[in-house]
Amino acid sequence: MEGKKKRLLVLYASQTGNAMDVAERVGREAERGGCPSVEVQSMDHFDPNTLPSESTVIFVVSTTGQGDPPDTMKVFWRFLLKRNLGSSWLEGLHYAVFGLGDSGYQKYNFAAKKLDKRLQDLGAKPIIEKGLGDDQHPSGYEGALDPWLMSLWKTLNHVNSTILPEMSEILHPSMNKLEHPKFKIMYHASSEVVQHDSHISDLKDMKNMIERARSMSPSLHGHDHGEPHYLLKMVTNKQLSKGDDGRDVRQFVLEPLASVVEYQVGDVLEVLPGQNPAFVDAFIKRCKLDPDSYITIEPWSGERDAMDSYVNGSSDHPIQLRTFVSRAMDVASASPRRYFFEVMSYYASAEHEKEKLQFFASPEGRDDLYQYNQKEHRTVLEVLEDFPSVELPFEWLVQLVPPLKKRLFSISSSPLAHPNQVHLTVSVVSTMTPLKRRRYGLCSSWLASLDPNKNEEVLVPSWIHRGTLPPPPPMLPLILIGPGTGCAPFRAYIEERAMQNLVESTAPILFFFGCRNRDSDFLYQDFWLAHSSDDGILSEEKGGGFYVAFSREQERKVYVQHKIREQSARVWGLLNAGAAIYLAGSSTKMPADVTEALEEVVAKESGVSREAAARWLKTLEKAGRFNIETWS
Amino acid sequence: MALVLTDEVSLPLRVIRDLKSEGLNEEEAVVVTQCGSLGGKLSFGDAFFGTVFVLLSKIDNLTDQWVSEISRVLKPGAQVLLQTLLLPDNQAKPSSQIERKLLISGFVDVQSTDGSQSVLVKGKKASWSTGSSFPLKKTAKVLPKIQLSDESDLIDEDSLLSEEDLKKPELPLVGDCEVGSTRKACKNCTCGRAEAEQKVEKLQLTAEQISNPQSACGNCGLGDAFRCGGCPYKGLPPFKLGEKVSFGGDFLAADI
């Protein structure tokens, strides 16, 4: 094949890191099988124009809850959908697709299914049928991955034995040969280093230090966004929910120190959580590291990898080891992946630990690992404490410890109503594992622990990002549906429109809220009620409305979709007047239930069939007038 | 009362008379010229005009502020007509640009006609204001038309899915060895399955077992990775035999 690259390319689109992990495993196995040239790349670092020049590509793509591809796939996918590419654009390309999804959702693995079909339509040839990983499987996506991957290697080997000359290493891994880590750590004398870290004299220094620490982390893969835009102080930390069913929903009010925070409604706040210093210290002690040493991280071979373009002159700015661990490595929350256990097995000196780790890393031990690790939300620190004979070199820790991730929150205030403040409405995540261990969400529990009254200032490193939707113009009628914490962005929209209404005419808003009962979790009760009386913008007099579904106040469950059906004439009236629908919340089933209710309303009020109503709503979605934003 | 708004400096009277064919049939009309220099504001009250005609030589002069202002002076349900001249070096489809601006500002029934020399866009101001009733349209069987932004250069991605794909997915089959563990509970389980899944057969620990732990199999102190299925110490951090067991941060004394 003339002009085609002779390499095996693994392209992944990952939302939470699982697809990336799978892609790295595919690459690693190919290398073990002796494949002469293997590259693993994130789809958003790949130019789709060059796809026809590839000969063999393995795609690994996740599908999000609403059936969408991950953010990192959006540009690539849009390119592939172009009408003018033609049915022979990818002639000569051999490919395979593995999807990660959840069969609990209607739109199961849609991203992978659509990709597979589109590639064929463009002239590419599948090596084997697409593989579909399923979170509902007892061992998660690995249940489908193990057999699919084996089938892929066998087929490839059958077609062309030069691709995997050491195929036997894949079929019967000897388990005593470990590849080298991808990175090496350089230690620097403290005399060499400009003393940034010990003198955090001002906010500028702190922001710079956070950026340097995170830009050095290879696991963050250049996907980080530079210095925090703001270091915010918590001025209010108020519990909005009462009652003892354990749900803890907070309102956080954050203010910048010595700067002005600029944002618009619909924006999101991205937060870098702090880690409990006791856990950071315990990790450093367990791994026998020197917290005060200064380090830089370089690629192993000394040559810049094409895709690992994360490090920009890092050797000029060594960072203190403790700072790097605390800002870039998640030691006490995220669970490590299967490969972590595999590498650990090489460094275990106690025989029973070595055996157990090898078992966990093998296909036979996959389900047991799932029970021990994922289901119990084991942290890196806990795993290291359960296997005390393992001494992992720092190089491996840097590569394998999950990176400390930033979290996104919808902003629930309008800058018109609260200049220079950012409000958040956050549910403190808490789950009980099968072994009755209570696990808290790292970021939500950290924010909840910040006490505005304490003198020591704990600052929240934050970034402001545009939301996916532009702020609605004042004359656009709105139908807002936001049960539970889904009301967060809508408090912002309503505050904003109330302010706009003081100086100009505005269109009405219908708001549907839902919660369990009015005494325990009727978030912002006074706020909504104030705006729905006295000719307020949520009042029926003004053409709007505010309707609450209390799910547990009566025998049968009442949810927002029931309220929508009750108000079908009002909903239809606004839709007819050009309203846009916004739906937000954290439930998996809610968007589908609400969409069904809307279809019924449209069909009933206009007299068309359910199918026509469903199609009309789909068009509304494409036109940007029906927007769904959910989070888990 | 009608309003004729233009960004030109002057308008020949002929143009006003020509508008009669577009529906200007009112006795009284007000003409405002050079609107580009008015700072986006008109000196008329809310809901003053029954029709507004806008004659534009430059589409860019139609700012969002102007569209808002036009909406303000229009009576609810009344019509706006925009006509713009097509210049030779104009970008394609100025009508869709104008349509978008109208739609975003809450106008309805937006339609356009592309002529060889000019484009004409019409729209209606919505009428949900106090007291007005919504047309029932129960027998019309017609849904409001929705304008889509120009994405005709992409294929419809939903056409890539087969009938099979669109059906509700089947849950994975589970082998005999996994008796009792079929579907996982959803993340936001409301049916009680999540609570049931968390019920684990667990022997309660006695005070003796906590202060002086012993292990017949030898594995109890090693941590969950090594403990047997029925181990009473499951869930606890590793410990040394004979030394008092610590619970880590997760356990409340009341649990024991």
Side-chain angles (χ1 to χ4, degrees):
Chain A
M1 228 150 282
E2 287 162 31
K4 291 262 190 193
K5 300 206 177 93
K6 283 190 166 52
R7 62 182 180 177
L8 177 74
L9 175 64
V10 186
L11 271 184
Y12 66 89
S14 190
Q15 191 75 22
T16 56
N18 287 317
M20 178 173 86
D21 198 52
V22 171
E24 291 186 346
R25 178 178 157 188
V26 174
R28 203 163 47 233
E29 277 189 23
E31 275 173 355
R32 280 191 190 158
C35 184
S37 171
V38 181
E39 296 238 332
V40 178
Q41 252 184 60
S42 174
M43 236 172 241
D44 60 346
H45 286 171
F46 180 80
D47 178 7
N49 277 299
T50 65
L51 195 53
S53 69
E54 302 286 341
S55 57
T56 323
V57 182
I58 314 294
F59 294 90
V60 182
V61 300
S62 293
T63 301
T64 69
Q66 300 310 316
D68 295 320
D71 296 331
T72 48
M73 187 168 165
K74 297 246 154 86
V75 171
F76 181 87
W77 182 233
R78 206 167 186 284
F79 189 98
L80 248 58
L81 288 176
K82 279 168 33 161
R83 234 180 254 282
N84 62 1
L85 293 175
S87 57
S88 51
W89 182 59
L90 293 180
E91 215 172 84
L93 173 68
H94 298 269
Y95 79 93
V97 170
F98 188 80
L100 285 87
D102 187 329
S103 63
Y105 291 88
Q106 171 70 37
K107 299 186 179 177
Y108 171 56
N109 258 313
F110 267 21
K113 290 176 174 174
K114 289 180 184 176
L115 176 64
D116 187 62
K117 179 73 171 54
R118 185 61 178 152
L119 290 168
Q120 284 182 50
D121 288 347
L122 291 169
K125 288 270 174 306
I127 301 166
I128 55 169
E129 226 182 86
K130 60 187 180 285
L132 298 178
D134 187 358
D135 278 354
Q136 291 292 337
H137 192 283
S139 37
Y141 60 78
E142 300 214 309
L145 180 61
D146 290 346
W148 181 85
L149 209 45
M150 194 52 81
S151 167
L152 175 68
W153 300 138
K154 287 188 174 151
T155 312
L156 261 181
N157 196 47
H158 182 72
V159 160
N160 180 354
S161 59
T162 63
I163 296 182
L164 298 167
E166 281 154 55
M167 184 69 188
S168 52
E169 267 300 312
I170 299 181
L171 294 174
H172 309 287
S174 45
M175 282 296 218
N176 53 21
K177 205 175 79 169
L178 181 67
E179 47 274 320
H180 59 75
K182 292 205 204 139
F183 307 96
K184 60 180 184 233
I185 314 287
M186 311 287 284
Y187 292 89
H188 301 256
S190 52
S191 55
E192 255 178 65
V193 176
V194 179
Q195 293 297 342
H196 284 278
D197 302 332
S198 43
H199 302 295
I200 308 289
S201 52
D202 61 16
L203 306 179
K204 196 163 159 325
D205 279 346
M206 189 178 185
K207 288 185 191 176
N208 182 259
M209 177 202 59
I210 291 174
E211 189 209 357
R212 281 187 298 117
R214 291 179 68 80
S215 65
M216 211 179 286
S217 162
S219 329
L220 287 165
H221 271 264
H223 281 160
D224 223 45
H225 290 110
E227 279 190 9
H229 296 161
Y230 304 99
L231 294 169
L232 300 176
K233 172 155 171 40
M234 174 92 60
V235 299
T236 304
N237 177 347
K238 182 173 153 192
Q239 189 172 52
L240 295 174
S241 58
K242 303 137 228 152
D244 31 51
D245 60 348
R247 285 162 133 218
D248 185 357
V249 182
R250 303 277 179 111
Q251 180 187 34
F252 297 128
V253 177
L254 302 156
E255 269 177 19
L257 296 175
S259 66
V260 173
V261 65
E262 283 176 14
Y263 66 96
Q264 57 189 34
V265 294
D267 281 356
V268 292
L269 189 75
E270 192 176 32
V271 167
L272 178 68
Q275 299 194 81
N276 186 333
F279 290 145
V280 173
D281 291 334
F283 172 81
I284 289 174
K285 185 162 171 221
R286 165 69 183 83
C287 299
K288 299 200 169 81
L289 302 168
D290 174 10
D292 300 319
S293 56
Y294 284 85
I295 58 166
T296 53
I297 301 174
E298 317 278 324
W300 179 266
S301 58
E303 296 143 24
R304 285 285 153 77
D305 245 343
M307 81 289 294
D308 279 317
S309 51
Y310 63 95
V311 169
N312 293 319
S314 80
S315 50
D316 299 337
H317 301 287
I319 193 116
Q320 202 178 39
L321 187 140
R322 192 180 190 286
T323 306
F324 181 77
V325 173
S326 142
R327 297 294 187 181
M329 298 172 76
D330 188 331
V331 304
S333 174
S335 294
R337 304 187 182 278
R338 177 161 142 181
Y339 189 45
F340 187 80
F341 293 86
E342 188 177 325
V343 174
M344 273 179 80
S345 72
Y346 286 92
Y347 290 96
S349 48
E351 199 53 45
H352 69 285
E353 289 183 20
K354 195 183 194 67
E355 265 177 35
K356 184 57 99 173
L357 289 164
Q358 285 177 341
F359 176 66
F360 275 159
S362 70
E364 299 78 42
R366 182 187 67 210
D367 291 358
D368 277 37
L369 177 62
Y370 199 70
Q371 293 296 322
Y372 167 73
N373 186 41
Q374 284 97 307
K375 296 211 75 171
E376 279 302 312
H377 297 263
R378 288 290 161 189
T379 69
V380 165
L381 194 52
E382 283 175 339
V383 173
L384 290 173
E385 282 172 355
D386 273 0
F387 293 92
S389 83
V390 172
E391 306 285 358
L392 271 180
F394 193 45
E395 283 78 4
W396 278 116
L397 291 166
V398 162
Q399 182 178 332
L400 298 176
V401 170
L404 184 63
K405 291 212 165 111
K406 298 180 282 179
R407 269 74 159 174
L408 291 166
F409 300 97
S410 278
I411 297 181
S412 52
S413 52
S414 157
L416 294 181
H418 305 281
N420 216 28
Q421 277 188 346
V422 175
H423 293 209
L424 301 180
T425 308
V426 176
S427 176
V428 180
V429 177
S430 153
T431 34
M432 188 73 106
T433 68
L435 294 184
K436 293 206 173 155
R437 289 148 24 103
R438 186 157 280 286
R439 300 274 98 164
Y440 292 96
L442 175 63
C443 193
S444 54
S445 61
W446 175 69
L447 287 170
S449 73
L450 299 181
D451 183 352
N453 301 316
K454 282 239 173 69
N455 282 331
E456 13 110 5
E457 277 175 356
V458 179
L459 298 174
V460 181
S462 317
W463 291 253
I464 298 265
H465 296 293
R466 276 295 93 91
T468 45
L469 313 159
M475 282 306 272
L476 180 67
L478 296 174
I479 299 172
L480 306 176
I481 306 160
T485 50
C487 69
F490 302 145
R491 179 174 177 269
Y493 285 177
I494 290 169
E495 271 190 349
E496 176 113 324
R497 191 160 280 194
M499 297 295 290
Q500 288 164 340
N501 197 41
L502 300 172
V503 295
E504 54 184 318
S505 56
T506 58
I509 299 181
L510 274 186
F511 176 43
F512 293 93
F513 178 67
C515 64
R516 286 185 184 174
N517 44 55
R518 70 192 75 218
D519 293 326
S520 73
D521 59 348
F522 191 174
L523 311 174
Y524 299 118
Q525 171 176 2
D526 298 332
F527 176 78
W528 314 123
L529 292 176
H531 286 292
S532 49
S533 49
D534 291 332
D535 272 359
I537 56 170
L538 287 180
S539 66
E540 288 182 354
E541 294 76 45
K542 276 274 180 293
F546 169 59
Y547 307 99
V548 193
F550 296 108
S551 60
R552 295 191 188 184
E553 279 192 351
Q554 58 282 311
E555 265 296 316
R556 60 183 181 90
K557 295 263 198 265
V558 174
Y559 296 124
V560 282
Q561 52 266 30
H562 299 111
K563 288 295 177 193
I564 290 170
R565 287 191 189 101
E566 272 174 30
Q567 300 299 327
S568 91
R570 261 179 231 279
V571 170
W572 179 239
L574 272 194
L575 276 178
N576 227 359
I581 307 174
Y582 289 69
L583 177 60
S586 68
S587 160
T588 61
K589 282 218 73 209
M590 188 266 299
D593 289 339
V594 167
T595 305
E596 229 180 79
L598 289 168
E599 286 169 11
E600 283 175 26
V601 161
V602 171
K604 172 178 171 218
E605 297 294 329
S606 67
V608 305
S609 67
R610 269 297 290 273
E611 291 76 34
R615 276 196 304 272
W616 188 78
L617 276 174
K618 263 206 131 22
T619 319
L620 214 60
E621 205 179 325
K622 289 204 170 98
R625 272 175 55 199
F626 181 14
N627 304 289
I628 301 181
E629 195 162 299
T630 52
W631 49 81
S632 52
Chain B
M1 183 77 125
L3 169 68
V4 179
L5 188 63
T6 179
D7 52 356
E8 297 271 16
V9 169
S10 62
L11 273 184
L13 205 49
R14 168 188 51 83
V15 170
I16 310 293
R17 276 193 239 122
D18 284 346
L19 286 176
K20 280 202 157 130
S21 63
E22 295 296 343
L24 170 57
N25 49 14
E26 290 160 77
E27 296 295 308
E28 289 259 17
V30 170
V31 181
V32 174
T33 63
Q34 276 189 295
C35 68
S37 51
L38 287 178
K41 289 246 169 263
L42 290 167
S43 57
F44 303 102
D46 288 5
F48 192 76
F49 293 108
T51 331
V52 171
F53 292 91
V54 185
L55 301 167
L56 287 172
S57 58
K58 269 208 231 139
I59 298 174
D60 293 336
N61 284 334
L62 186 68
T63 60
D64 289 334
Q65 199 182 7
W66 268 117
V67 179
S68 269
E69 189 66 354
I70 291 168
S71 178
R72 182 183 71 75
V73 302
L74 263 177
K75 294 192 165 120
Q79 198 177 53
V80 61
L81 285 98
L82 291 110
Q83 189 169 59
T84 175
L85 298 168
L86 276 179
L87 297 169
D89 58 350
N90 226 336
Q91 72 270 53
K93 299 200 89 186
S95 54
S96 49
Q97 210 187 329
I98 299 175
E99 280 180 19
R100 211 172 293 139
K101 279 192 198 273
L102 290 180
L103 285 170
I104 284 177
S105 294
F107 281 90
V108 296
D109 289 349
V110 176
Q111 307 161 359
S112 56
T113 334
D114 286 287
S116 51
Q117 286 180 311
S118 65
V119 291
L120 183 72
V121 184
K122 297 183 193 176
K124 273 213 189 92
K125 176 171 169 174
S127 58
W128 57 72
S129 353
T130 322
S132 58
S133 57
F134 303 123
L136 286 178
K137 284 196 182 169
K138 270 209 159 72
T139 50
K141 289 195 193 272
V142 161
L143 291 166
K145 184 167 166 268
I146 307 168
Q147 271 87 353
L148 288 173
S149 57
D150 224 356
E151 290 217 326
S152 55
D153 56 333
L154 299 180
I155 64 157
D156 174 20
E157 62 180 281
D158 289 331
S159 66
L160 297 168
L161 297 165
S162 67
E163 278 293 322
E164 193 62 39
D165 292 331
L166 293 168
K167 281 199 233 157
K168 191 136 180 24
E170 271 174 32
L171 295 162
L173 297 170
V174 165
D176 289 323
C177 54
E178 305 186 70
V179 170
S181 59
T182 51
R183 253 198 80 167
K184 277 176 19 188
C186 313
K187 289 190 176 92
N188 301 93
C189 174
T190 49
C191 75
R193 193 202 176 87
E195 284 146 33
E197 273 183 356
Q198 281 156 20
K199 288 201 170 75
V200 163
E201 285 287 342
K202 202 169 145 181
L203 302 171
Q204 294 301 317
L205 287 171
T206 65
E208 174 69 27
Q209 281 176 306
I210 296 169
S211 56
N212 183 20
Q214 297 299 329
S215 171
C217 63
N219 288 337
C220 305
L222 294 178
D224 284 341
F226 301 96
R227 289 180 181 129
C228 316
C231 183
Y233 295 100
K234 231 169 162 67
L236 297 179
F239 56 80
K240 289 203 170 68
L241 297 180
E243 281 179 21
K244 186 172 167 144
V245 178
S246 81
F247 291 98
D250 306 316
F251 287 79
L252 305 168
D255 269 3
I256 306 301

